[in-house]
Structures are given as structure tokens and as C-alpha cells.
Amino acid sequence: MKNNLLENFIVYLFNSKTIFYLILIVATLIVIPNIDRESLWLDEIFSATASLKTSSLDLMFSKYISRDGNPPLYYVLLFYWGKIFGSGDFEIRLLSYVVTLLGLILSYLLIKKHFSRKLAILFLFLSAFTPGVLYYAQEARMYSLLYALSSLASIIFLIFLKRIRGSQKIENMLLIYYFLVGVLICYTHHFGSLIIFLLSFVTIIYSLVLKKNRSAITILVVSIFIGILGMIWLIFQFYFVDMGNHIKQISWDRNNLKNIIFNFSTIFAVNKFGVAALLILLAPILRNFNYFLILVKKYSIILLPVLLLFLTSYLISIMIFTISERYLIVTVPLILLFISFIFNELFDNNKIFVFLYIIGLLILSVFGNYTYKKQNWRDASKYIQNKIYFSPNSKVPIKSLLDGSFDRLMFVSYYFMESKYVYSPDGPKIQDNCDLIYVDGHTNEEEIKRTLVEYNINIPYEILNFNKVFVVIKKRN
């Protein structure tokens, strides 16, 4: 009897016209209270400095973006967003959530129109309650935009496959959407260019295998135009950014693929305990294992671009050491779409278990997004300003990660401590009439101690830890 009541409630919930709004409201209640709970971390400070501490787009490109290597779309959006809504931590991170929200809404509408409402609701549940998706929705970086565009591109990719399989013509408007999303994603992140290339590649191969040559030619032509416009940024980089030196500079550590894969899994479930919990919740849904294998085979093509991207990433990681699990967020929509299709097929006989999986995902998302910690540059900067004695000629000593003057650590002075502080990238130093010896992030306490030994700092000192932002000061009596 209780199961019947719960099943009836789940059916009512999925059929309700308000469920769409309820999902978005719950996601908003998870994100909004957390947007400025933690300090901007180093890369967010770069975004804020490049976009909000410059008076014009020309200056933003010449001083920051031309030397950064990442495509410019997010920075341009943040530049205008800041002009309209302000430049506080809350305001600049809000852009990421607005982009995520638009991505969720447009994804829902596309799936509902071209597949089914139930499938659209399932994908909306999974996408809106995946912890990593909501985490990047409150970070002042391009990954929320990358996720939103990847979702749209992945859904259009599936619509293409459906049209091709059914020998139906691909509508011109759908091709225009794919072109626009493809160009935008190329100007968001280099892994955006990679995923759109792989989606096009799989679609063309699929068309040729089914002998739908006209569809293959159509997708090829659209993809060529995407590539031509995407190449404009690459040409700009070739002339203005020494990418070889840039990659060498930012590759401070070798890729550990085991860690990257584990960290990627936490996008879905916060930590290893969350991963285990979701697997346990998933087990009852897959109890008819033979049928599950049939469904996996049926929808396996959805995961083909994911496998190709992981393979490509592995090959890249052999040559350069700049692969991060963050970049792999372009594959998350495809994985969630795959799960959505499986759940859609199994839903009628597994309503309760599917619902429990979604509730488990929601609980993990609430836990993850209310407990995450970031480098606390905000409090570290306040401490330096309010608690440390500076003489008029003192500098904030850092150890430069990069050669030359382009160092993200230096942007902390522009954003949090303003221009009255001057950064010295020469490493720790003892200054007369100044208590500050060293500031660093992106490291750990043992590395800080090794650096101090390397620079012959032998006076008594204290290391203050602001959640992986380390402030080293002269020891007080």
C-alpha cells in the first residue's frame, strides 16, 4: 500500500506542470546562498581582474587575454555583466548561475520538443542536481558556460542521430542552432572546440555507415564553417600568445591520470563516499542486468564522443601537462543524457528506485555545495591589510609561478588589496620595518617551508593558513 502511494506520488510529480519550476527553484536555493560564502580563488581573481578592473575591451585583450591562452567569450560576457550589475563577489558569480539556468531551460525545451517530456524532466533532474554542475554555477570561471553550451550541442547531436536513423531531413533551423552553439563553444574553451569536433565526427561517421550521404555532407559543411570561425581565435593566439611557452609556464605539475579520473567522478558525487552511495542507489534499478545491457548497447553511441574525448585527452596528456578534470565537464551532459535515456526506459517498473536515486543526488548536491572550501584569498588579504605592519616602501613578496611579469598571484593585489600594495615576484624576503615575509597559494605547508629554506629565511616565523593560502610573517614575541 505504501509503495502504491509513493508510486502514485512520483507519477503525479512527473506529470505535474509545476515540476519544471520546482526543480529550478530547488537548484536556485542550493546555489544562491553559497555564491559569496567562500572567497574567490586564484583563477576567479584573474577573471575578475581581467574583466572588471579594465576600462575597455582593448585593454582587457592586450593586457590579459592575449597572454592567457583561453578563448575570450566568458571574459567579454563578464566585462559587460559587471558594467550592468556590479563587480562584487556575488554579482560576478551570479553570471555563472544565470548561464547555467539558461542552459537547463533550453536543454529541457529541446528534449521535450524532439524526444519526450518525461525524458526532459529526467535530464533536468540529473543536470540540476549534479553537485559539480551546481559548483561551477557559483564560480567566476568559464566552466558554467562551457557546460551549458555542451548540453545544447550534445542534445542537438542526439537529434541529428534521430533524424538520420529515421531517414528524416535535418531542419535548417536545427543546423543554425548547431552552428551558433558550435562557434560559441569554440570561443569558450579549447575543450569546447574538441567536443564539437568529436560530435560532428561521430555524426558524419554514423551517417556514412547508414549510407545517409546527404546528411553527412550537410553536417560536414556546417562543421567546416564552425571550424573556419573558430580558427580566427587560434590565428590570434598564434600571433599574440607564445602557446609553447605558455603551456610550459602553467604546467607546474605532471598529469596524474588516476587523480584526474577520480576528481572527474566527484563532479557527479562530491567524494568517494558519494560515488559509493550513488552506485548503491543505482544497483536496484539495474537488477534486470540482461535488459540493462541491451539498453547500454542501444544507447552506447551517446557515450562514443565521451570515450573519444578521454582518449584524446590521454594522448594530449602524454605530450603536455595541462589536462584538468574541469575541462572534462564537456562530457558530463552526454553522460547524464545516457543515464536519462536508460532511466526513461526503466522508469515504469522502477519509479521508486529512480526517484530515490534523484533524491540521493539532491542530498549529495546540498551537502557538497554547502560545505565546499576554496582558497581564502579574501581573509588572507584582509589580514595582510589590517594586521600586518607595512613600511611605505614594503612589498608583498611572492614566488612567481611564471617567467616575466604575467603572474596570477599578482592579480590578488589588484582585486583584493588594490593598487596601494606592490607585489614582488622574487620570492620570500626579509624587509626592514615590515612583518610580512611571504604569500603563496596553490601549494601546501611543506612546500612553503622548503621554499623558505631555499631562500635562506632563517629568522623565526609563523605560517598562517587561510585554507591553502599561506601568509608567512615574522614571529612575534
Side-chain angles (χ1 to χ4, degrees):
M1 183 67 178
K2 290 183 179 179
N3 284 352
N4 288 337
L5 287 174
L6 183 55
E7 286 189 358
N8 290 338
F9 170 73
I10 294 168
V11 171
Y12 167 78
L13 194 65
F14 271 76
N15 291 330
S16 170
K17 293 180 179 180
T18 60
I19 187 61
F20 168 77
Y21 302 102
L22 180 62
I23 294 170
L24 298 182
I25 290 170
V26 172
T28 301
L29 291 176
I30 295 172
V31 171
I32 294 300
N34 288 292
I35 281 189
D36 62 350
R37 177 174 62 83
E38 289 289 302
S39 166
L40 299 183
W41 71 289
L42 202 57
D43 284 1
E44 289 182 285
I45 293 171
F46 173 78
S47 297
T49 305
S51 300
L52 305 174
K53 298 296 183 179
T54 51
S55 57
S56 67
L57 287 177
D58 287 344
L59 184 60
M60 182 176 72
F61 271 85
S62 62
K63 188 174 181 180
Y64 298 104
I65 295 178
S66 65
R67 305 169 68 189
D68 177 52
N70 284 315
L73 179 59
Y74 171 77
Y75 299 117
V76 173
L77 289 176
L78 186 58
F79 176 85
Y80 287 109
W81 177 271
K83 298 292 184 188
I84 298 171
F85 296 103
S87 57
D89 291 4
F90 180 91
E91 288 80 10
I92 64 173
R93 281 178 170 164
L94 186 62
L95 171 62
S96 293
Y97 181 61
V98 169
V99 166
T100 301
L101 196 63
L102 287 174
L104 292 174
I105 293 170
L106 293 175
S107 296
Y108 169 83
L109 294 175
L110 267 176
I111 296 174
K112 181 184 176 184
K113 178 179 179 180
H114 294 278
F115 292 97
S116 71
R117 183 179 181 276
K118 185 171 72 174
L119 183 66
I121 291 294
L122 283 168
F123 180 74
L124 186 61
F125 262 125
L126 295 178
S127 193
F129 294 164
T130 292
V133 173
L134 295 186
Y135 175 83
Y136 291 120
Q138 49 200 290
E139 183 173 84
R141 294 294 286 164
M142 70 284 295
Y143 302 109
S144 59
L145 179 60
L146 187 62
Y147 179 80
L149 292 171
S150 297
S151 294
L152 297 176
S154 299
I155 294 165
I156 295 171
F157 160 73
L158 295 184
I159 298 170
F160 284 164
L161 298 187
K162 181 182 178 182
R163 292 284 186 272
I164 293 165
R165 186 173 59 250
S167 300
Q168 297 174 304
K169 181 183 177 183
I170 299 174
E171 303 98 317
N172 290 335
M173 189 55 66
L174 203 59
L175 294 170
I176 292 172
Y177 291 157
Y178 188 67
F179 170 77
L180 292 174
V181 170
V183 172
L184 291 175
I185 204 170
C186 287
Y187 280 83
T188 301
H189 196 274
H190 294 303
F191 267 61
S193 302
L194 181 57
I195 193 64
I196 203 73
F197 168 79
L198 292 174
L199 292 175
S200 295
F201 174 76
V202 172
T203 306
I204 292 168
I205 297 300
Y206 186 76
S207 301
L208 294 175
V209 169
L210 295 183
K211 298 181 180 179
K212 311 294 184 181
N213 296 340
R214 185 173 180 179
S215 296
I217 293 171
T218 300
I219 300 300
L220 177 62
V221 170
V222 173
S223 301
I224 288 172
F225 279 106
I226 293 173
I228 289 171
L229 288 181
M231 284 293 292
I232 294 174
W233 175 250
L234 294 179
I235 293 170
F236 173 86
Q237 285 191 313
F238 177 79
Y239 281 103
F240 293 97
V241 183
D242 184 349
M243 288 303 292
N245 188 50
H246 178 75
I247 290 170
K248 179 182 177 182
Q249 290 173 338
I250 66 174
S251 301
W252 53 82
D253 197 7
R254 287 177 176 268
N255 292 312
N256 185 323
L257 290 181
K258 181 180 177 181
N259 287 343
I260 288 174
I261 291 172
F262 171 73
N263 290 338
F264 176 70
S265 72
T266 64
I267 291 177
F268 299 91
V270 181
N271 53 38
K272 61 184 178 182
F273 301 107
V275 173
L278 288 185
L279 289 176
I280 291 170
L281 288 172
L282 197 61
I285 302 172
L286 309 180
R287 63 190 185 277
N288 188 343
F289 194 68
N290 290 332
Y291 183 50
F292 169 70
L293 290 180
I294 292 172
L295 294 178
V296 168
K297 183 178 179 181
K298 179 179 179 181
Y299 296 110
S300 59
I301 194 168
I302 299 175
L303 296 181
L304 183 55
V306 177
L307 296 176
L308 290 174
L309 189 136
F310 271 79
L311 176 61
T312 306
S313 300
Y314 173 74
L315 295 175
I316 293 172
S317 71
I318 294 173
M319 298 177 287
I320 58 176
F321 311 130
T322 58
I323 304 302
S324 167
E325 63 276 0
R326 291 167 169 262
Y327 306 164
L328 301 176
I329 197 170
V330 295
T331 65
V332 171
L334 287 165
I335 295 170
L336 295 183
L337 282 165
F338 175 77
I339 296 172
S340 299
F341 274 95
I342 299 292
F343 279 6
N344 187 53
E345 295 271 9
L346 297 173
F347 185 82
D348 289 341
N349 296 320
N350 295 273
K351 297 181 185 69
I352 294 175
F353 297 122
V354 169
F355 183 69
L356 289 177
Y357 182 90
I358 291 170
I359 295 300
L361 197 64
L362 173 59
I363 292 170
L364 287 172
S365 199
V366 171
F367 171 78
N369 284 277
Y370 275 85
T371 59
Y372 70 80
K373 298 290 183 182
K374 293 188 176 186
Q375 298 170 354
N376 197 348
W377 286 101
R378 182 166 56 199
D379 286 351
S381 301
K382 287 180 181 178
Y383 185 88
I384 291 171
Q385 293 181 87
N386 300 327
K387 302 292 185 179
I388 295 179
Y389 172 71
F390 270 84
S391 67
N393 297 320
S394 297
K395 296 182 179 180
V396 179
I398 64 172
K399 182 181 178 182
S400 180
L401 293 173
L402 311 180
D403 297 327
S405 61
F406 185 69
D407 195 317
R408 296 191 181 208
L409 284 172
M410 301 180 77
F411 301 137
V412 179
S413 66
Y414 298 127
Y415 190 74
F416 278 127
M417 296 194 288
E418 302 177 349
S419 59
K420 65 180 180 179
Y421 292 89
V422 178
Y423 268 36
S424 169
D426 300 327
K429 60 165 52 174
I430 304 298
Q431 302 176 86
D432 294 334
N433 300 317
C434 180
D435 289 340
L436 185 64
I437 297 174
Y438 186 38
V439 180
D440 201 0
H442 260 313
T443 187
N444 56 61
E445 190 164 334
E446 291 305 313
E447 181 61 31
I448 293 290
K449 291 178 180 178
R450 283 195 292 269
T451 302
L452 293 171
V453 171
E454 177 187 345
Y455 281 76
N456 298 314
I457 304 297
N458 51 23
I459 68 168
Y461 60 80
E462 292 182 67
I463 300 176
L464 307 177
N465 184 355
F466 296 86
N467 197 38
K468 297 186 179 180
V469 177
F470 297 94
V471 177
V472 183
I473 61 174
K474 295 174 183 177
K475 194 165 189 178
R476 294 163 182 170
N477 296 327

